Amino acid sequence: MAQDRKKVLVLGAGYAGLQTITKLQKQISADEAEVTLINKNDYHYEATWLHEASAGTISYEDLLYPVESVVNKDKVNFVKAEVTKIDRNAKKVETDAGIFDYDILVVSLGFETETFGIKGMKDHAFQIENVLTARKLSRHIEDKFANYASSKQKDDKDLAIIVGGAGFTGVEFLGELTDRIPELCNKYGVEQGKVKITCVEAAPKMLPMFSDELVNHAVSYLEDKGVEFKIGTPIVAANEKGFVVKVNDEEQQLEANTVVWAAGVRGSQLMEESFEGVKRGRIVTKQDLTIEGYDDVFAIGDVSAFIPAGEERPLPTTAQIAMQQGEQTAKNIKNILEGQPTQEFEYVDRGTVCSLGSNDGVGVVYGKDIQGKKAAFMKKVIDTRAVYKLGGVGLAFKKGKF
Ligand code: NAD
């Protein structure tokens, strides 16, 4: 093998990093570059299905597949390790499994929950963040039903669930809850009318990217299934009783034995520690997805803030964008290896769907509003497509939603 092979290091096997790898391994020969993928787990998980595993409508195991099942071992070296430091000047990455140097680096370390420093949130609220949080939350919800059913002195708070935040994550989680609750009531002989699901949202309007008609559909669908919304109501603390909210400048305690914080995400904490000008774990990139001053460092997915040329605001953080960025990064790495200039990233917005359980939803697809069963179907298409894009037809058959 050639001695002067460039070292390409990809950090993170989420949508952005794994898409970079799966595209790159098709475009290069083993002689062209020494490619290493580092990820803290030996599995990739479908982060966009976390709301389902968190509510328990699917198992946490359904989210996973081994990273190595989609990696070509002849071209890519996979290392299970946790990144602890990125030294961009020395071109080195420290991990708990040793130090790796690089010529080209792709930082795709994904998202974490952002609690905005709200008191008690980390200790008292469940989060929808990764496979472990999903497993913990779905089991906790079921444990509370089991406890209610088996106790002589029944605690109504066992059947109370409060969801903080009515963004995509909060609403999709509520949708799954409304699918799961009837099953749990059946299993534990609990009267459904006793279950209380509340969603607390700080902003005056939920899902502001959607038309009023779509928002109204989502709200009435969920309300019909028993969800109560408290809009324009910020959560200011979490404690052992539940959430504390502010209503007309006065604090009120909302009580429940399950409280879920679904009201904010940020890029990996490592971003602030490794780069300058990072806000909430996201760094503004140049149009080719590299970082200002570092033509050999790409930042993609949830750690990047990509502002399309001529616009002012960065794109949101979604799997669709992360995967498109991964695809572009693979092409740009190939260009660098061949001594060609990199190309600008152009985002193609195919649309967004917010599911409301497995049979309903709202969304915009290719610029058109859709709702109901059509949206639920489209969501399954989107979910299956993501599996296919990373793992091909075989994996899509095994893990897809059809
Ligand atoms: P988000 O930041 O988009 O939404 C959080 C919500 O919580 C907001 O409505 C905000 O007003 C509210 N909030 C914030 N602080 C609060 C407080 N103190 N009290 C009460 N409410 C509060 O976060 P998200 O929903 O996790 O989404 C993160 C990103 O992931 C977004 O870019 C989203 O588009 C994307 N996403 C997309 C999908 C999809 O395409 N189906 C699904 C999930 C997430």
Side-chain angles (χ1 to χ4, degrees), residues 186-197:
N186 240 340
K187 185 167 172 184
Y188 293 100
V190 170
E191 197 189 312
Q192 212 171 307
K194 289 210 161 283
V195 180
K196 193 168 177 227
I197 305 174

mmCIF file with all atom_site columns, all heavy atoms in Angstrom, residues 186-197:
data_model
loop_
_atom_site.group_PDB
_atom_site.id
_atom_site.type_symbol
_atom_site.label_atom_id
_atom_site.label_alt_id
_atom_site.label_comp_id
_atom_site.label_asym_id
_atom_site.label_entity_id
_atom_site.label_seq_id
_atom_site.pdbx_PDB_ins_code
_atom_site.Cartn_x
_atom_site.Cartn_y
_atom_site.Cartn_z
_atom_site.occupancy
_atom_site.B_iso_or_equiv
_atom_site.pdbx_formal_charge
_atom_site.auth_seq_id
_atom_site.auth_comp_id
_atom_site.auth_asym_id
_atom_site.auth_atom_id
_atom_site.pdbx_PDB_model_num
ATOM 1  N N   . ASN A 1 186 ? -54.890 -1.442 29.210 1.00 0.00 ? 186 ASN A N   1
ATOM 2  C CA  . ASN A 1 186 ? -55.385 -2.794 29.010 1.00 0.00 ? 186 ASN A CA  1
ATOM 3  C C   . ASN A 1 186 ? -54.602 -3.805 29.827 1.00 0.00 ? 186 ASN A C   1
ATOM 4  O O   . ASN A 1 186 ? -55.175 -4.631 30.543 1.00 0.00 ? 186 ASN A O   1
ATOM 5  C CB  . ASN A 1 186 ? -55.174 -3.162 27.536 1.00 0.00 ? 186 ASN A CB  1
ATOM 6  C CG  . ASN A 1 186 ? -56.494 -3.480 26.895 1.00 0.00 ? 186 ASN A CG  1
ATOM 7  O OD1 . ASN A 1 186 ? -57.460 -3.788 27.598 1.00 0.00 ? 186 ASN A OD1 1
ATOM 8  N ND2 . ASN A 1 186 ? -56.530 -3.393 25.583 1.00 0.00 ? 186 ASN A ND2 1
ATOM 9  N N   . LYS A 1 187 ? -53.275 -3.691 29.724 1.00 0.00 ? 187 LYS A N   1
ATOM 10 C CA  . LYS A 1 187 ? -52.386 -4.657 30.382 1.00 0.00 ? 187 LYS A CA  1
ATOM 11 C C   . LYS A 1 187 ? -52.533 -4.623 31.903 1.00 0.00 ? 187 LYS A C   1
ATOM 12 O O   . LYS A 1 187 ? -52.505 -5.663 32.554 1.00 0.00 ? 187 LYS A O   1
ATOM 13 C CB  . LYS A 1 187 ? -50.945 -4.339 29.976 1.00 0.00 ? 187 LYS A CB  1
ATOM 14 C CG  . LYS A 1 187 ? -49.913 -5.313 30.477 1.00 0.00 ? 187 LYS A CG  1
ATOM 15 C CD  . LYS A 1 187 ? -48.588 -5.087 29.755 1.00 0.00 ? 187 LYS A CD  1
ATOM 16 C CE  . LYS A 1 187 ? -47.487 -5.928 30.372 1.00 0.00 ? 187 LYS A CE  1
ATOM 17 N NZ  . LYS A 1 187 ? -46.191 -5.648 29.757 1.00 0.00 ? 187 LYS A NZ  1
ATOM 18 N N   . TYR A 1 188 ? -52.705 -3.402 32.459 1.00 0.00 ? 188 TYR A N   1
ATOM 19 C CA  . TYR A 1 188 ? -52.719 -3.288 33.929 1.00 0.00 ? 188 TYR A CA  1
ATOM 20 C C   . TYR A 1 188 ? -54.114 -3.015 34.495 1.00 0.00 ? 188 TYR A C   1
ATOM 21 O O   . TYR A 1 188 ? -54.250 -2.715 35.681 1.00 0.00 ? 188 TYR A O   1
ATOM 22 C CB  . TYR A 1 188 ? -51.727 -2.198 34.379 1.00 0.00 ? 188 TYR A CB  1
ATOM 23 C CG  . TYR A 1 188 ? -50.304 -2.625 34.089 1.00 0.00 ? 188 TYR A CG  1
ATOM 24 C CD1 . TYR A 1 188 ? -49.625 -2.141 32.973 1.00 0.00 ? 188 TYR A CD1 1
ATOM 25 C CD2 . TYR A 1 188 ? -49.670 -3.558 34.906 1.00 0.00 ? 188 TYR A CD2 1
ATOM 26 C CE1 . TYR A 1 188 ? -48.332 -2.573 32.688 1.00 0.00 ? 188 TYR A CE1 1
ATOM 27 C CE2 . TYR A 1 188 ? -48.383 -3.998 34.622 1.00 0.00 ? 188 TYR A CE2 1
ATOM 28 C CZ  . TYR A 1 188 ? -47.726 -3.502 33.514 1.00 0.00 ? 188 TYR A CZ  1
ATOM 29 O OH  . TYR A 1 188 ? -46.458 -3.947 33.236 1.00 0.00 ? 188 TYR A OH  1
ATOM 30 N N   . GLY A 1 189 ? -55.126 -3.115 33.634 1.00 0.00 ? 189 GLY A N   1
ATOM 31 C CA  . GLY A 1 189 ? -56.500 -2.923 34.106 1.00 0.00 ? 189 GLY A CA  1
ATOM 32 C C   . GLY A 1 189 ? -56.738 -1.529 34.668 1.00 0.00 ? 189 GLY A C   1
ATOM 33 O O   . GLY A 1 189 ? -57.414 -1.357 35.693 1.00 0.00 ? 189 GLY A O   1
ATOM 34 N N   . VAL A 1 190 ? -56.176 -0.522 34.012 1.00 0.00 ? 190 VAL A N   1
ATOM 35 C CA  . VAL A 1 190 ? -56.336 0.859  34.479 1.00 0.00 ? 190 VAL A CA  1
ATOM 36 C C   . VAL A 1 190 ? -57.363 1.567  33.594 1.00 0.00 ? 190 VAL A C   1
ATOM 37 O O   . VAL A 1 190 ? -57.352 1.413  32.373 1.00 0.00 ? 190 VAL A O   1
ATOM 38 C CB  . VAL A 1 190 ? -54.970 1.610  34.403 1.00 0.00 ? 190 VAL A CB  1
ATOM 39 C CG1 . VAL A 1 190 ? -55.151 3.093  34.649 1.00 0.00 ? 190 VAL A CG1 1
ATOM 40 C CG2 . VAL A 1 190 ? -53.973 1.009  35.374 1.00 0.00 ? 190 VAL A CG2 1
ATOM 41 N N   . GLU A 1 191 ? -58.230 2.333  34.246 1.00 0.00 ? 191 GLU A N   1
ATOM 42 C CA  . GLU A 1 191 ? -59.239 3.086  33.496 1.00 0.00 ? 191 GLU A CA  1
ATOM 43 C C   . GLU A 1 191 ? -58.538 4.231  32.757 1.00 0.00 ? 191 GLU A C   1
ATOM 44 O O   . GLU A 1 191 ? -57.812 5.018  33.374 1.00 0.00 ? 191 GLU A O   1
ATOM 45 C CB  . GLU A 1 191 ? -60.226 3.661  34.518 1.00 0.00 ? 191 GLU A CB  1
ATOM 46 C CG  . GLU A 1 191 ? -61.534 4.115  33.942 1.00 0.00 ? 191 GLU A CG  1
ATOM 47 C CD  . GLU A 1 191 ? -62.301 4.857  35.022 1.00 0.00 ? 191 GLU A CD  1
ATOM 48 O OE1 . GLU A 1 191 ? -62.380 4.308  36.160 1.00 0.00 ? 191 GLU A OE1 1
ATOM 49 O OE2 . GLU A 1 191 ? -62.755 5.964  34.741 1.00 0.00 ? 191 GLU A OE2 1
ATOM 50 N N   . GLN A 1 192 ? -58.763 4.314  31.420 1.00 0.00 ? 192 GLN A N   1
ATOM 51 C CA  . GLN A 1 192 ? -57.990 5.287  30.626 1.00 0.00 ? 192 GLN A CA  1
ATOM 52 C C   . GLN A 1 192 ? -58.243 6.744  31.043 1.00 0.00 ? 192 GLN A C   1
ATOM 53 O O   . GLN A 1 192 ? -57.353 7.582  30.969 1.00 0.00 ? 192 GLN A O   1
ATOM 54 C CB  . GLN A 1 192 ? -58.295 5.115  29.143 1.00 0.00 ? 192 GLN A CB  1
ATOM 55 C CG  . GLN A 1 192 ? -57.084 5.465  28.306 1.00 0.00 ? 192 GLN A CG  1
ATOM 56 C CD  . GLN A 1 192 ? -57.281 5.111  26.851 1.00 0.00 ? 192 GLN A CD  1
ATOM 57 O OE1 . GLN A 1 192 ? -57.628 3.989  26.527 1.00 0.00 ? 192 GLN A OE1 1
ATOM 58 N NE2 . GLN A 1 192 ? -57.073 6.083  25.983 1.00 0.00 ? 192 GLN A NE2 1
ATOM 59 N N   . GLY A 1 193 ? -59.471 7.009  31.505 1.00 0.00 ? 193 GLY A N   1
ATOM 60 C CA  . GLY A 1 193 ? -59.814 8.367  31.918 1.00 0.00 ? 193 GLY A CA  1
ATOM 61 C C   . GLY A 1 193 ? -58.974 8.864  33.093 1.00 0.00 ? 193 GLY A C   1
ATOM 62 O O   . GLY A 1 193 ? -58.933 10.070 33.365 1.00 0.00 ? 193 GLY A O   1
ATOM 63 N N   . LYS A 1 194 ? -58.327 7.963  33.776 1.00 0.00 ? 194 LYS A N   1
ATOM 64 C CA  . LYS A 1 194 ? -57.514 8.365  34.945 1.00 0.00 ? 194 LYS A CA  1
ATOM 65 C C   . LYS A 1 194 ? -56.125 8.860  34.538 1.00 0.00 ? 194 LYS A C   1
ATOM 66 O O   . LYS A 1 194 ? -55.408 9.482  35.317 1.00 0.00 ? 194 LYS A O   1
ATOM 67 C CB  . LYS A 1 194 ? -57.359 7.175  35.908 1.00 0.00 ? 194 LYS A CB  1
ATOM 68 C CG  . LYS A 1 194 ? -58.630 6.832  36.638 1.00 0.00 ? 194 LYS A CG  1
ATOM 69 C CD  . LYS A 1 194 ? -58.286 6.255  37.994 1.00 0.00 ? 194 LYS A CD  1
ATOM 70 C CE  . LYS A 1 194 ? -59.432 6.285  38.971 1.00 0.00 ? 194 LYS A CE  1
ATOM 71 N NZ  . LYS A 1 194 ? -59.694 7.571  39.556 1.00 0.00 ? 194 LYS A NZ  1
ATOM 72 N N   . VAL A 1 195 ? -55.723 8.549  33.292 1.00 0.00 ? 195 VAL A N   1
ATOM 73 C CA  . VAL A 1 195 ? -54.381 8.940  32.827 1.00 0.00 ? 195 VAL A CA  1
ATOM 74 C C   . VAL A 1 195 ? -54.397 10.416 32.436 1.00 0.00 ? 195 VAL A C   1
ATOM 75 O O   . VAL A 1 195 ? -55.327 10.891 31.769 1.00 0.00 ? 195 VAL A O   1
ATOM 76 C CB  . VAL A 1 195 ? -53.948 8.073  31.619 1.00 0.00 ? 195 VAL A CB  1
ATOM 77 C CG1 . VAL A 1 195 ? -52.558 8.480  31.131 1.00 0.00 ? 195 VAL A CG1 1
ATOM 78 C CG2 . VAL A 1 195 ? -53.993 6.592  31.985 1.00 0.00 ? 195 VAL A CG2 1
ATOM 79 N N   . LYS A 1 196 ? -53.358 11.134 32.869 1.00 0.00 ? 196 LYS A N   1
ATOM 80 C CA  . LYS A 1 196 ? -53.327 12.576 32.598 1.00 0.00 ? 196 LYS A CA  1
ATOM 81 C C   . LYS A 1 196 ? -52.013 12.911 31.877 1.00 0.00 ? 196 LYS A C   1
ATOM 82 O O   . LYS A 1 196 ? -50.933 12.774 32.464 1.00 0.00 ? 196 LYS A O   1
ATOM 83 C CB  . LYS A 1 196 ? -53.396 13.310 33.949 1.00 0.00 ? 196 LYS A CB  1
ATOM 84 C CG  . LYS A 1 196 ? -53.682 14.762 33.816 1.00 0.00 ? 196 LYS A CG  1
ATOM 85 C CD  . LYS A 1 196 ? -54.030 15.364 35.164 1.00 0.00 ? 196 LYS A CD  1
ATOM 86 C CE  . LYS A 1 196 ? -54.227 16.862 34.984 1.00 0.00 ? 196 LYS A CE  1
ATOM 87 N NZ  . LYS A 1 196 ? -53.562 17.673 35.929 1.00 0.00 ? 196 LYS A NZ  1
ATOM 88 N N   . ILE A 1 197 ? -52.133 13.335 30.625 1.00 0.00 ? 197 ILE A N   1
ATOM 89 C CA  . ILE A 1 197 ? -50.924 13.729 29.888 1.00 0.00 ? 197 ILE A CA  1
ATOM 90 C C   . ILE A 1 197 ? -50.998 15.228 29.625 1.00 0.00 ? 197 ILE A C   1
ATOM 91 O O   . ILE A 1 197 ? -51.979 15.729 29.060 1.00 0.00 ? 197 ILE A O   1
ATOM 92 C CB  . ILE A 1 197 ? -50.804 12.997 28.538 1.00 0.00 ? 197 ILE A CB  1
ATOM 93 C CG1 . ILE A 1 197 ? -50.854 11.485 28.737 1.00 0.00 ? 197 ILE A CG1 1
ATOM 94 C CG2 . ILE A 1 197 ? -49.507 13.390 27.825 1.00 0.00 ? 197 ILE A CG2 1
ATOM 95 C CD1 . ILE A 1 197 ? -50.886 10.695 27.437 1.00 0.00 ? 197 ILE A CD1 1
#
